[in-house]
Every structure is written in structure tokens, then in C-alpha cells.
Amino acid sequence: MAIIQSFWNTLTQLAQESGFAGFFADGGWKNIIMILISFVFMYLAVGRGFEPLLLLPISFGMLLTNLPNADMYHPEFWEYYEKFEEDAGTVNDHYIDYQRILEHGGLLDILYMGVKLQIYPPLIFLGIGAMTDFGPLIASPRSFLLGAAAQGGIFFTFVGAAVLNMSAADCASIAIIGGADGPTSIYVSSQLLTKHSACSVGTIALAAYTYMALVPIIQPPIMRALTTKKERSVVMGQLRPVSRLEKLIFPVLVTLIIALMIPSAAPLVGMLMFGNLLKESGCCDRLVKTAQNELMNIITIFLGVTVGATTQADKVISLDFGKVMLLGVVAFSLGTACGLLLGKLMYVLTKGKINPLIGSAGVSAVPMAARISQKVGQEEVPTNYLLMHAMGPNVAGVIGSAVAAGVLLAIVK
Amino acid sequence: MAIIQSFWNTLTQLAQESGFAGFFADGGWKNIIMILISFVFMYLAVGRGFEPLLLLPISFGMLLTNLPNADMYHPEFWEYYEKFEEDAGTVNDHYIDYQRILEHGGLLDILYMGVKLQIYPPLIFLGIGAMTDFGPLIASPRSFLLGAAAQGGIFFTFVGAAVLNMSAADCASIAIIGGADGPTSIYVSSQLLTKHSACSVGTIALAAYTYMALVPIIQPPIMRALTTKKERSVVMGQLRPVSRLEKLIFPVLVTLIIALMIPSAAPLVGMLMFGNLLKESGCCDRLVKTAQNELMNIITIFLGVTVGATTQADKVISLDFGKVMLLGVVAFSLGTACGLLLGKLMYVLTKGKINPLIGSAGVSAVPMAARISQKVGQEEVPTNYLLMHAMGPNVAGVIGSAVAAGVLLAIVK
Amino acid sequence: MAIIQSFWNTLTQLAQESGFAGFFADGGWKNIIMILISFVFMYLAVGRGFEPLLLLPISFGMLLTNLPNADMYHPEFWEYYEKFEEDAGTVNDHYIDYQRILEHGGLLDILYMGVKLQIYPPLIFLGIGAMTDFGPLIASPRSFLLGAAAQGGIFFTFVGAAVLNMSAADCASIAIIGGADGPTSIYVSSQLLTKHSACSVGTIALAAYTYMALVPIIQPPIMRALTTKKERSVVMGQLRPVSRLEKLIFPVLVTLIIALMIPSAAPLVGMLMFGNLLKESGCCDRLVKTAQNELMNIITIFLGVTVGATTQADKVISLDFGKVMLLGVVAFSLGTACGLLLGKLMYVLTKGKINPLIGSAGVSAVPMAARISQKVGQEEVPTNYLLMHAMGPNVAGVIGSAVAAGVLLAIVK
Amino acid sequence: MSDLRFMFAQLLSSNIPPDRTDLSAETIVSVVITGISVVFIGLIILIVLVSLYGKIFEGINKSAEAKAKAKAEAEAAAKAKAAETEVKAAPAPATAPAPAVEDGIEEEVVAAIMGALSAMYAGSGKKPVLKGVKAAKPRRSAWSAAGIMDNTRPF
Amino acid sequence: MSDLRFMFAQLLSSNIPPDRTDLSAETIVSVVITGISVVFIGLIILIVLVSLYGKIFEGINKSAEAKAKAKAEAEAAAKAKAAETEVKAAPAPATAPAPAVEDGIEEEVVAAIMGALSAMYAGSGKKPVLKGVKAAKPRRSAWSAAGIMDNTRPF
Amino acid sequence: MSDLRFMFAQLLSSNIPPDRTDLSAETIVSVVITGISVVFIGLIILIVLVSLYGKIFEGINKSAEAKAKAKAEAEAAAKAKAAETEVKAAPAPATAPAPAVEDGIEEEVVAAIMGALSAMYAGSGKKPVLKGVKAAKPRRSAWSAAGIMDNTRPF
Ligand code: NA
Ligand code: NA
Ligand code: NA
């Protein structure tokens, strides 16, 4: 009898601690909706091929974090709170208690440390740098202008978000989606967002990667609308070959100039250029191979699943999530448009030597945006090879986004 | 003269701080015995091929940790102690001082953080999931029953350990050896064991991997004893092919059901299924490759050597180590028997369509246990291919052990 | 108007926070010099092929750390300071506040934790062990003597540094450069150097890797000066083949003896031998492959760039940097000479059977020093193959340096 | 709700502290029964659900297979046509002369080899041609699966 | 100097706290203008510098190329001579009979293949011989670069 | 015991604090002598032990070699017999027709190549056949070992 009682007790207790019970707790229904949303993103990643390398881990993190009582991620551990620091005699209002996280954190809390300590995005940039060929940009430095113009999307979206009365951190985090660069978005949002923010790092990342996957759908109509048939038909010549020494000096020069101008961009730009220098050096192949592959893959897995884990039901199931998605696509479209418009200006100034279609590649989203320029160009002149010319603005867009991120971080803090 | 004095002083001091001196200190002789035991396990790993990927690192960790004064691992840093937490106004009696570990920890302390923070076992499960084909289990879902039955060994061994008057944490840690799953054993024992426990994580892992290596010796006699020749001669037909979509839904479904039922099993099951989803998605190959190989290898090295480091002389050289080894083999045998007995029941219920030999594969120990089913089956009917059918219970056993681990963690805490 | 004012304010603020402004701050000119020095080392690495795998990351870290206001590395976080520890009732004068580093550290602070926690050098030794063949040393154990003699450079340089009135930590850190072993130098210096020290970990590493790259220039003149033509012409016979079992026992034996004698050498020697045991076991190939490649490459990147980051302008631009470079080359030369002199002694004792040229290989700098022995030997007898014989002292030198490091750590603390 | 849960937890308090040694017979038996039941309940739920969707998919698969086949053929034709004009990724073997692959070798294998070769050529602007791949007589898939796991997964 | 900077920062204080919601129109517009200007200023500086050194190098490269060619030939001759007596690294293809490499295949590619083969042979004391490497008709480098990135870099 | 050690340590106190600058001549000389002696003592102990077991093994090896050879042959025969009925790991080259390997190429090398190929085939249920491996004229093992290290190990 006592055994049956004890068995029943244990069973009841397990039932109460189960996730099913959690669904009936306050706000538990939101978790169900979030799990359904995670299924949607899994479908987009696997079924439709939307940036699966990132969206699949993110969506699985979203599933795990919304399983009640699984305690794999604790948002409350990551809220800044105030602490009186005796040594300094001041109040630190950005205090995160790492001792508590190490003691009581779940698996995803521990892995999320790499996001909050700001090491995953720069290390992914290390790998990207080790894969990127800046040759087209060095051969045609004016591409930098297009990479700068396309960042206009970021700043105009800042206006939009501010008009919707969002906080400065939200505005900056949403705006950076227009940079079309995942690690940069995560880098900025994980530094700025607080517990009072409407967004989470995860929703920003979801929007960024979703729209990056949608580049082939979002960009072409804008490109066709803003350019004339004549402009799109411009055939561009071959780029000059770039010597090894130029490729070696480039990463050092960019690091120096950008990091000195905008120190807050230094970790991203510095690591991007470090990876590129390793690659161009030609004598560190074993390091380059690891930076491009294993290191990047390990961090991608950790980054994806933990960023997904930040999509708390409270953050996502709200009008604000809609705002993020809406403003995200606005940011993207504005960026594309800004790039194209400067392209048109350059078309005029160079008396028709530059095809404005390469301007839309300035949003980054390497290399898809450049391929879209190529494709839309070929619709007019099938033998026109714009890809090489679009790669310049494309990689300039990566640098441009990192600079824009640095500016936002310097202003909002 | 002063120089000779100074030289002599330095030399004497070095001699006193040397490990040789440590052997003459209190209990120093135990270290010698432990080092000898580590040689035995090295021999088993290298000479006899007993799970060398884990037993070799574990035994080397055992050697390093028992070198007196090398201070590569400090068991006292990992003992829970009590701390009054001013913020909460309560006493935290599971306090581990990570600041101290970072400041004064040795190499193996730092690497052991990955065990204590519970990240190595789930990440190894990520790799295992990325390597596992759940097809046979999906094709024949009743295999789950055999995977469940074989966990009986875990719970019956709990009784045995309790009868020997061991603490609840010891009982649960020893019992989980019956799950025949290394990371699960380490996951459970590193959470439950305290300084008052008779076992260490290392002894549990040593026992688990030793018996996993002994599967070809332990299982066949039990299999032959519990089944009739007629039962062993059952030839099973081919399994139906499983579609990609089914394989894609499976990991999500299992995560959902198991993590909702037993939240404490979520990290293990979640990562196992995350790895499997990445694999089955077919679009994340670079992540899958890294999860299967480099990430897993790095963690295996760190896990093995640090788990070995927990085998303190005091823990191992005692009657309790004997108990662990004894109860471990009991747990294994009981698990095998439970699987076989349910196999026999299914043989009866399906009127002879199921060969009970596939039941013993339910202990996990993938894929060795399934190959033993195959081999013992072929002793009767040389053309009988049971392997495919045994893979179902075999991978079900992995899930089953993780669930059992979750139950133990939920009950004992 | 207000907008223009606000724009101007923001711009002014950004300008003031920029790195350019930092150059005009106190001591800002030193950063410019440091950046120029980093370019020199980049040139040496890429243009002249000086150990590029390490010198390129180190020099890039040097660049990043000297960009004003980038805040990627904070030397003040790593200065030991005093803390009264209430629990113990004593003052800890080696306190590093990891909570602060996690909260406020830059990218390179976070990655530098692996240096300060003493995990990178032992893990690199794991990879080196997994690549090293100790066969020539086992076949000719007297090579150990030459590996020991070449460590004389370490201790004689200690005298030199002490005479220049440097602190004990500086003396030991500079002396260890004579060991011709990068990870060992970093291991020792990162433990000993304090804020009062004249050197930084980075300057020690720079000197060590520079001189390792210069081995083909530094060693031959010393070798020719200290040996006679007759000695250099000694042709040595073939080494006996070494059985697998001998190769298996060797790493265990060395770990045991060295770690017991000098416990502070245990992490380096232990990991070196752990890697070697994994390799020789022949049954852990997947772990060996990862230890040799991906794990080692990841750590090399992190180690290089963070060690470079410790080269603060204040530390480097001083007379002390000159002292380090000067004493470093003295240490190297003395080590070479000591090895040769013992080689000469052995030549006499064996009645001309040993070619003293293999003595200079005892400095380690594997495998370059051994190849120099070969090359200088061939100048006399073109068909003389000393390489195999020089590999023995060469790998013995690695063990010898680790032992010497242990001795220095035991004495200075 | 959480108050209620707390109250219940107090009432029941069936957790066993880790350091407790003298476990009562009831406790022990209760652990065993609960443990086994919960494991079985969990896995039985999975059996039901997996069987269920297995049956659903068996139907879907058959019609899907037919569709997929038709679609794949159409796509292949379209691709072949587009190949001259469209931008192609370097490791896409479609535009290179198809390597002579023995019947029964999965495409992934060929892709894997192509991938490895392409990786070597990365950045060179050249494209390797895979001339042919031959496989030994295929054994039953489960053998090799077990074999692979045996070499890769004794964790 | 740092005092001055602190005073200025106080005076200006144009930082926006992250949680601030009701941003004034001036602030917003100022952020936009500053942001765009700074990005453009930064990248224009880069344009100037990159163009500058691009022009410098165009001159240097031409003379350097000629020199390098002459030097490489001289070195190759010297190496061939030294090959019998000098210590050679295993993966150094120079001493082995030169593989028959199709014109237009970069040396790095061949080196990569040699490297892969040598790694397999590591420790064996044997040296593989690369008999020949053939490339498919090279496509324009940018295609394959984009293709590779497409497969490796959607981050 | 530990009390005793503490007392001794106090008495001797020959540790040098890291920040100490004006080291006395005795201290310095003592560091040098101690350091060199300890390094020599340690390595001499290793010489003695390694020589010792070297001699022991030389004897054992000779008889073991003979035994091992006989055993290996017996095993190979047994394996060949068992090959039809026993479960075999995929990358086990034993059951496939033995590749034509040039004399003098170590088995590990062949295994490495087989491993690489098998990894590509992983999951496909196919098994690659290695038709043959040729090595260039073997150089002395130490050359290639040094060469490999030179490329992989300048740390
Ligand atoms: Na961008
Ligand atoms: Na199991
Ligand atoms: Na050395």
C-alpha cells in the first residue's frame, strides 16, 4: 500500500514537473505557438532551402528553448541587473553574474556565453575572411562606394523603427538587418538589447537570415523597377589582375583605417581581415583550412542553436515580432534601392561605363546578391558577365555593414 | 660555501616538492596502486582493444591525476560546499567556486569544467545523432519496446545498490551503467555524485566502458541460456524502406515527446535528435561532418582525460570500487536479460515472427550489441541476417537510456 | 539647426573616440611605433618565411592591440592584484578577477584566458606529441644527454639577465627562450610575469619564434667554430629498429619519471606524452588526427593572436625589449654551444664514434636544428646522413626544455 | 499555478536527496516501478506516433514517388537546357561531362569525391573532371552501417 | 588630455541609452546623417588609398614580374643541381619526376594534391609520385569563386 | 608529514619571488647549478631506464617476431575462411580483393588510403576497391619524417 502511495506520489511529481504541465501554466500556450513557429522555420530551412546552415540550428534552438521545464536556457540569467561594486564605489547597471550561469546554467546558457562574450561573430568573420577574395574590390576600388550606399538601408530603417516608438536598442538592432549580414546582426543586437527591449537576438537573427534567403525574390523586382533597359544592358569590361602584394596589403590597410576610425568595428573588421591575411599569405594553409571549416562549423552550430534559444515566447508572440519582420524587409529593400541609385549616379558620371545593377550587390549577402546582379543583367544581354564586377560591391558591403555596426554601437550605448 | 648551501637548499626543496616525496606522504601508497591500475586499463585499451578511444584517455587521466604534487586536478575544488547567498537570503549547498577554479585550477580542472557544466556529454550525443540511422527503428517501431525493456537492468541494479546501503546518488550512478552508454553515465554521475559519495565519475565511466567492451563476452551466454534453439532460429523478413520525410519528422517528434515527458532528459535527447535532424536534412553536410568528427574527437579527448582524472585514490581503493564493478556487470546482465525476456514475450505474441535474440541489443552499446544478436543468430541459421532488425532496439536503447537517466535525475536530487 | 548641431556633436564625439585621437593622447606615439614593428614582423613572417604559422598571428595580434580605443585587449585586467579572501582570512596577491574579464573583456581578453589558464601550451604539446616519433631517441638513449646539455643555454642566460638587474620573473622568462620551444616559453612566461615585469608574454614569444626561424643562420657558424674538421667528418652507423612495445612504454615511462621528479613540468610533459601514446597506440587514429590538425590549428590561431596582444607599447618600447632580443640570441647560442661541447666530450669518450654536430640539435627547434646538423655534416662528407642521429637529441631537447621549465617554475614563485 | 505546484511538491516531496543512504524498501520499489513505467510509457507513446505517421506516409510516399520521379526528369531536362547560359557553382557536376559511374553507386558518393577534388581546386578557377567511380560489389547496407559505426562510434 | 576628453564627452553626451524610446526627430536625423557620412568617409578613404597603391604597384609589378621570372628559373636550375646532395622534405615535389601537369593549372593545385597524397604517406618513408593532373576547360574564375562561396559561406 | 614539510619549507625558503630584482650571486649560481643538475639527473634516469628496457626488449622482440609472424599467418588464414559468414566492418580491407600493393609500402599507408575512400562511401553501403598503390623510390625514413614535421610542426 505504501509502495503504491509512493509510486503514485513519484508519478504525480514527475507529471507536475513535465513539460506537458508547463503548457497549462501561465503563458504556456505561447510556448505551443512558438514550437509551431519553429516548425515553420525548420520547413523553410529544410524544405525550401532557406539558409539551412543557420536557420536549421536556429529553429531547433527555438524548439528546445520553448519546451517547458527543460531549463536548457534561462533568459533571466542574461538580463542586465544592477550591482553595487564596492571596489569602484559605483553601480554597475550592466551586471551579468557569470558565476551563477556557470553554476546553474543549462546547456544552451553555457554555449550562449560565446554570443554574449562577443566571440562567435568575430570568429565567423575570421572564417569568412579566410574564404573571401577581395581581388575584384582591389581592382575596382570605386566598388566601395556602392558597398557604402547599400548601408543606407540600415540608417533609414532606424528612422522607421524610431517612428514606431521602439527603443534605441531595438531601432539599431532592427536597422542592422538591412546590412544583410548574420554575424554582424547578432554582434550588434547581443550587445545592445536589454530586458526592456521588444526584440531578442534570436528574432533579429531569424529576420536577417530569412531575408538573406529571400534575396532572389526581394531584389529583382526592385532592380527592374529602378533601372532602365538601357542601363541594365551596359556591358562591363574585364577587371585588371591584382598582384599578390596588393592582396597582402589590403587586409592590413583596411584594418588600420576602419579600426582607427570606428574602434567599435575593430573586432569584426579585424578578424575578417586577419582571416584574409592568413589566406593571402599563402604560408598558413593549415590555419586557413581550419578557420574556414572546422572552427567555423563548430561555431555555426553553437551560434545557431543558442541564438534560436533566445526566442522567448514573450518576445516573439507580440506585435513587435511583426514590426521586426516588416521593418526587416523594408531595411533590405531600402539597402538594395540605395545601392542601385548610387549605381545609376555612377552610370551617369562615368557616361554609361558602369552597369547600375551591380549596385544592389552592395547589401552583402555574399555571394547571392552578386549572382542576382549577374542574372538580372543577363536577362537583357545574355552574354554579359557582371558577376566579377558585382563581387566588388558585394564584399565591400561586408566591410560597410561592419562599419555601420560600429557606428551604431558607438552612438547607442 | 654559501653557494653549496644554497644549492643544497634548492635541491632539498625540489626533492620535497617532488612526486617521489608525495608517495611517502599520508596515503601516498594508494597513488602507486592507482598508477598500477591505470597501467592495467592502458593495457586493456591498447593491448586488448577495449574501447580504446575512451579507455586510453581515461587511463592516462588516471595516471596524471595520481602523480603526487602535479596538481593537474584538484578534487577539493569540485566538492559542493555551502554558501550563504546574500541576494537570495538562502544557503546554496551546491556551491562550486568557479572564480577559484579559474584562478588556481590545473589543466585538468579547467578541462573538467566541460563535464561539470554538462556540455561534453550532450555534444557527444550531437555527434552520435549525426552518425545514427534511425531507419530500422522507424520501419519497426515496436523495437522501442525492446529498447525500453533493456533499461530494466538500470532499475533493478538500483535495488541492488540500495540493498548494499549505498547513497541514492551512488545507486543511481551505478545503475545507469546498465544503460551501456558512456556519455549518459557521465552525464548522470557528474550531476549526482557529491563528496560524500563512494564513487567518482571516473569509476562509473571506467566500469561503463569496460563492460561495453566486454559485450561480446557478457551477452552470448545469457542469450543462449534464456532462449530456446527454436526461438533463436526465427528468420525475420526484410524491413520496409523508410522515406526521407519520415526520417526528418522522427527526430523532432522524439525531442518533443521525450523532452516534454521528462524534461531532465532534454539536453541528451535534444542534442541526439538535433544531430540526427542535421544529418537527415541533407543540406547541412559541413556541419554534420564537423559534429561527427572534429568536434566529437576534441570533446572525446577532453572528456576522457578529465573523467579519468576524477579517479582519486581514496575513491577507487576501497570496497566501493569492487561494488561498482560487481553491480556494473549485474546491471549489464540484467539489462540483457530484460531485453531477451520481452523478446520472448513478443515471440509468443507475434506467434514466432520475432526472434528474441534482437532483444539483447536493446541495451544500446551501439553497434556491438546488435552485431552480437546477429552472430548468435547465425550460430543456428547461418543465412539469418538479424543485424538490421537488431539495429532498431539498439538505437531505441540509446533513447531509452537517456529517458531512464532523466527519470533518475528527476527523482534523485 | 538643432539637427546640424546634433550631427556635429555626434561626429565630434566619434572623432574623439576614434583611434586617430588616441594617437595624440599620452604615449599614443608609442602605439604608432608598435604598429610599425608589427609590420616588420608581418614582413618577416610572410616575406621571409620566418615561422609564419606563429609569427603572422602574433604580429596581427600586435597590430590589433595597439589600435587605440579598440579595447580588444585590456592589460590591466590581467595584472595580479591583492584581494582579501574572507573565507581563508588571507590576502591573495595573485588575484585575477575573471568575472570582470567575462563582463568587460574584449575579444582578445576572452581568447587570452586560454593562455592564462595554461591550457593552450599543453594542448599544443598534445598535438606535437601526436606528431613526434621518439624512435631515434629510444634507439639511442644517450641522445638524452645532448638534449640535457643544450638546456645549459637556459641557465647561463639566467645569469646574464640577473646581472642586468632584471627581476627573477624576467630572468626566467628570457632564459627559457634558449629552450627554442614556443609553447614552453609561453607557458613559463605567462605564469611568472607580473605587472612589474619588464617583458610581456608577447615579447618573449616574439623573440623565441624569431630565433627559432633564425636557426639556420645562428647555428652553423657556432658549429663550425667549435668543432674540428675531423670531428665533423665522423660517419655514424644505422640506428637499431625500435619495436612497437618500446614506443608504447616510452611515453608512459617519461611521464612517470619527469612528472614525479619535477611536478611543475607535468602538464607539458604529460600532454606531450599523452599525444604520443595516442599516436603509438595505433587504435585512436581519429583522435590523433584531430589532435595533430584541427585542435592544434584552432589553438595556434588563438594563441598567436592573443600572445601578440600582450605586446603593449609600454613593454616593448623600452631598453628592456632590446635586452630580451639580445639575451635571447645569447641563450640560443649558448644552448647550441653547450650541446656541441658535450658532443665533443662524447666524441672523445666513444673514441670518435659520435659526431659532435648532432649536439647542436639538442636545443629542440624540431626539426630544423636536426636538419642543420645534417647539412653542416654533409659539407665535410657529402654522403653522411646525420639526420636520423640528430633527431634523437632534437626530441630529447623538447623534453629537456619542459624539464628546465619545470625547474624554473619550481624555483621562481 | 506555481503556488499550487510548490504546495504539491511540499506535500509529496518524493525527491531523494543524493547523500541519503538508508533508503526504505518502499522508496526503492517505487523508484523501480516508476522508472520502468515511465520509460515504457514514453517509448510506447513514440511507438503509437511513429506507427501512425508511418502508415500515413506509406500512402503518401507511393503517390509522391511517382510525382517526384516525373518532376526530377522534367527538371533534369530543363537544367541540361539551361546549362549553357546559367551561372553554375564550381562543384556542380551537372555541367561537366558526367563521370562514368557504375550502376548502384549513390550520387552522394560521387558528389563527395567531386567535392573533395573541387576543394583542392578551390580558387584556381579550374574544374576537375571525375572520369569514373567503381564500387566493389555492394554488401547489404546494414552491414556497412554497423561497420562504419564500429569504427567511428564507440563512445 | 584624457581630462579634456572626459569634459568634452560630458558636454556633448550624444550617446543614446539603449532603453530610451521617445527619440527626438533631431536625434534620429542626426543618427542617419552621421551614420551614412561616417560609412562613406571611411570607405572613401579606403578608395583613395587602395587606388593609390594600386597605381604604385601596377608600375612595380611589371618590372617585378620580369625579375621574378628570371630568378625562378635560376633557382629551379640551382635546385635541380642540389637535389642529389641536399636534404629534401618529403612533400617537396621538386626532386620527384615532375608530374605531367596540363598547361594553365596553377602550381598550388598540384601542390594541394601532392600534399593530400603525402599526408597519407606520412611516416611511411615512401613518397607518392603524381603522374599527372588534368583540368576541365577552365571557366572564368569568378564563377567558380561564387560557386565555392555559395557552398561554403551562407553565414 | 605535511606539517613537517611546511616547517622545512619555512626553514629553507629558497623560492625566489618573481618581482625580486637584486638577486645575490649565490642565488644565481645556485639556480644555474641546480637547474643543470636536475635536468641532467632526470634525463640520465631516463637513459638508464630506456637502455634497460631496450635491452630487455631486444631479446623479447626476436622471439616475439617469430611468434607474431606465425600467428599473423594463422589469423589471416582463419579470417579468409571466416570471411563469407562473419559480419565485417566496412573499411576492413581483408574481405575485399587485396589491392596490388608494391613491395615495401607499409600496410598503414594502404589502410589510410582505404580509410579515406571508405569515409567518402560512408553510409552508401558500397565498398570501394583499392586497385593498387605505387610509391616512388623510398628515401630514408628520417628524411621524410623531418620533411613532414617541417611542414606541420613549427610551433
Ligand atoms: Na552589408
Ligand atoms: Na541503453
Ligand atoms: Na629545447
Side-chain angles (χ1 to χ4, degrees), chain C residues 146-208:
Chain C
L146 297 168
Q151 311 315 317
I154 293 177
F155 296 102
F156 290 126
T157 308
F158 190 94
V159 182
V163 166
L164 291 176
N165 215 22
M166 304 190 90
S167 74
D170 286 315
C171 293
S173 301
I174 294 171
I176 201 75
I177 296 173
D181 196 293
T184 304
S185 303
I186 293 167
Y187 187 76
V188 168
S189 58
S190 67
Q191 278 186 64
L192 291 182
L193 296 175
T194 70
K195 62 177 160 178
H196 304 298
S197 303
C199 317
S200 73
V201 178
T203 49
I204 297 294
L206 273 179

Side-chain angles (χ1 to χ4, degrees), chain C residues 147 151 154 178-181 362-365 394 396-402:
Chain C
Q151 311 315 317
I154 293 177
D181 196 293
V363 293
S364 34
N394 212 195
V398 177
I399 300 173
S401 305

Side-chain angles (χ1 to χ4, degrees), chain D residues 56-100:
Chain D
I56 295 170
F57 277 109
E58 252 181 312
I60 297 175
N61 284 345
K62 277 172 195 169
S63 59
E65 255 169 50
K67 267 191 201 169
K69 211 176 170 184
K71 199 183 163 194
E73 275 165 12
E75 264 179 9
K79 260 191 190 165
K81 211 178 158 188
E84 273 95 338
T85 50
E86 220 193 359
V87 182
K88 275 281 163 265
T95 59

